[in-house]
Amino acid sequence: MEKLTEKEIKIYARAHAFLSIKEPEDLAACLGLPLGVILDAIDGSDTDYYTFNIPKKKGGFRKIDAPGAILKGIQKRIGFLLNVIYYRMRPACVHGFVKNIHDGTESFSIVSNASAHTGSGYVLNMDIRDFFHSIDIRRVKTLFMSYPFFLSNDMAAYMALLTTYRDRLPMGAPTSPVISNLACFLFDRRMMRFAEEQRLSFTRYADDLSFSSNHKIMDSTILAIKGIMQDYGFVLNEEKTRLYTGGGRQLVTGLKVNEKVNVDRKFIRSIRAMLHNWRKKGISGASAVNAGTDEFYNILKGKIDFLKMVRGEHDPVYKKLRTDFRYLSAAHNQVIQE
C-alpha cells in the first residue's frame, strides 16, 4: 500500500468529508466557505455567467460560458475534491481531465493516451458531438445520487445547480471536466468490456475515443460502438470518424502512433521556420503576421515545450531547437535592455 504524505492525508480527509455531506452547512464546512456564500451561489447560479467566443484551430468559434468570480471560486474548490475522488475510481481507459495529487507518479495527457495505440495495424478515432452540452442537469444530479456520492435528492440538486448553466455542463466552468468524467464512468466501463471482447485497445481523452488492433476493424464494430454511445446519451460526430491502417500515417489525439508517439514532421518544420524568421528578421519582423512580439514568443515557446512533452527532454531535435530559442531570447532581451 502506498505511503501517503501528511498533505495527501489531509486532502483525502477533505474528500472523504465531501462524500459525507448531508446539508448545505456540511458543504460549506467542507469547502471552507461561509454558508451564505454557498446559498447565494445556489440561488443565482444560473445567472452568474458571462459568454464569449474563442476561435477554433480549424475555423469557426467555440462558445464559452464562464462563471463569475464568486461562483468560479466555489467551483474550483468543488472541482479539486471531485478530482481527488475521481482519481481513485478512474477507469484505466481515461486519460483526459485526470489530476493526480501524488508527486512523482503517473501523469495523464494526450501522450499517455496515444501511447496505448502505438505499433497497431489499425487505429480508429471517433468523437462525441457537443460533449459537455450533452451532459444535462438531470444527469449531473443523478451522478451525485449514485456511487460514490450517494447524496440526498436535495443535496444532489444543489450540486447540479452549482455546476450547470442553462441545464447543461458549461464549457468554461472549472468543474465541467471532472464532472464529464464522472458522468462517463459507466460508459467507460461498458466500452472497456466491449473493447476487450473485440480484442481492441481503447482509450478516451475527453470527447475523443480511440481504438486500435492488429486485426481489421469492421464496419459492424463501428456501428456497435455508435450504439453504445447512444445508450448513454451521446451522439457520434460522423465527420470526425477516422480509420487508419498500418500503411499510412496513424494519429491519436493529434500525435503519430505508427511506431512510437511522435509529433508530425510539419510541426517541427513550423518551429524551425519561426526560429529562422526570428534570426533573419528579428522578432518584430517575424511576428508581423501575429498580434505582436509577445504572442509570437509565447506561441513558439509553447510549441517547443510541447515537443519536450512528447519526445522527452533528452531528444536531440528538442535540445537543438531549445538551444536556438534560448540564444535568440537572450539576444532579444539584451536589445531591450540597451
Side-chain angles (χ1 to χ4, degrees):
M1 184 176 178
E2 61 184 306
K3 185 177 180 180
L4 301 179
T5 66
E6 184 177 346
K7 177 183 177 182
E8 290 168 345
I9 291 172
K10 290 180 179 179
I11 290 173
Y12 280 119
R14 288 177 57 201
H16 179 75
F18 185 88
L19 293 174
S20 304
I21 59 176
K22 299 183 183 302
E23 303 291 341
E25 290 85 353
D26 300 328
L27 177 61
C30 185
L31 299 180
L33 294 170
L35 176 60
V37 172
I38 300 295
L39 295 178
D40 287 345
I42 292 172
D43 290 339
S45 59
D46 198 43
T47 58
D48 193 17
Y49 282 83
Y50 59 98
T51 300
F52 59 94
N53 294 319
I54 59 173
K56 295 181 180 180
K57 289 183 179 180
K58 296 184 179 180
F61 293 90
R62 178 174 286 107
K63 183 179 178 182
I64 304 297
D65 296 310
I70 294 176
L71 181 57
K72 184 177 181 180
I74 295 172
Q75 289 177 344
K76 280 187 174 181
R77 297 187 183 208
I78 293 173
F80 176 81
L81 296 178
L82 292 182
N83 275 305
V84 173
I85 294 165
Y86 180 74
Y87 176 74
R88 285 295 196 178
M89 58 185 284
R90 159 194 167 266
C93 63
V94 182
H95 292 262
F97 307 142
V98 180
K99 302 293 178 62
N100 183 1
I101 68 168
H102 303 287
D103 296 330
T105 57
E106 62 182 338
S107 61
F108 305 92
S109 65
I110 62 171
V111 178
S112 65
N113 183 71
S115 296
H117 305 283
T118 55
S120 299
Y122 298 85
V123 174
L124 170 67
N125 292 323
M126 304 175 79
D127 179 88
I128 299 173
R129 185 183 298 277
D130 295 329
F131 181 50
F132 280 6
H133 290 171
S134 63
I135 301 172
D136 63 22
I137 190 170
R138 290 174 298 178
R139 191 166 178 177
V140 175
K141 179 184 175 184
T142 298
L143 81 85
F144 279 114
M145 296 177 69
S146 307
Y147 172 82
F149 305 100
F150 301 115
L151 300 185
S152 67
N153 181 76
D154 288 345
M155 282 307 304
Y158 292 152
M159 292 302 302
L161 289 171
L162 284 170
T163 56
T164 60
Y165 175 58
R166 293 182 176 174
D167 294 339
R168 61 189 187 182
L169 277 189
M171 189 176 296
T175 42
S176 291
V178 65
I179 288 179
S180 71
N181 275 344
L182 288 163
C184 285
F185 180 72
L186 294 179
F187 168 76
D188 291 329
R189 296 283 295 271
R190 167 90 176 272
M191 197 64 81
M192 287 175 65
R193 289 195 300 270
F194 172 81
E196 184 177 3
E197 293 168 359
Q198 300 294 317
R199 294 182 293 128
L200 301 169
S201 295
F202 164 63
T203 62
R204 181 177 65 82
Y205 190 95
D207 56 353
D208 291 322
L209 312 180
S210 297
F211 303 83
S212 61
S213 176
N214 284 323
H215 62 81
K216 186 175 181 180
I217 300 177
M218 310 297 291
D219 290 343
S220 58
T221 301
I222 297 175
L223 286 174
I225 294 169
K226 183 178 179 181
I228 295 173
M229 292 171 64
Q230 291 173 343
D231 288 345
Y232 289 86
F234 295 126
V235 177
L236 174 66
N237 189 340
E238 304 276 1
E239 297 176 355
K240 292 188 177 181
T241 299
R242 297 285 187 275
L243 177 60
Y244 301 99
T245 64
R249 184 183 62 166
Q250 298 174 326
L251 299 177
V252 171
T253 46
L255 297 174
K256 290 176 63 178
V257 294
N258 292 68
E259 298 178 1
K260 63 179 182 179
V261 177
N262 203 352
V263 297
D264 191 84
R265 292 179 182 177
K266 291 181 180 179
F267 184 81
I268 295 177
R269 287 202 294 266
S270 71
I271 296 176
R272 286 174 172 154
M274 293 178 75
L275 290 169
H276 175 78
N277 286 335
W278 187 354
R279 191 179 299 109
K280 293 295 183 181
K281 303 176 183 178
I283 194 168
S284 298
S287 62
V289 296
N290 299 110
T293 57
D294 288 344
E295 181 175 350
F296 177 87
Y297 179 91
N298 290 332
I299 290 174
L300 180 54
K301 183 178 184 301
K303 284 176 176 283
I304 294 173
D305 288 344
F306 182 78
L307 182 64
K308 175 185 176 181
M309 181 182 74
V310 176
R311 299 182 67 157
E313 62 181 340
H314 300 298
D315 177 73
V317 174
Y318 159 71
K319 291 169 68 174
K320 173 64 167 60
L321 295 174
R322 180 197 60 186
T323 299
D324 291 348
F325 175 76
R326 288 180 174 176
Y327 173 80
L328 290 168
S329 297
H332 174 63
N333 290 333
Q334 184 177 1
V335 169
I336 293 175
Q337 293 172 2
E338 292 175 352

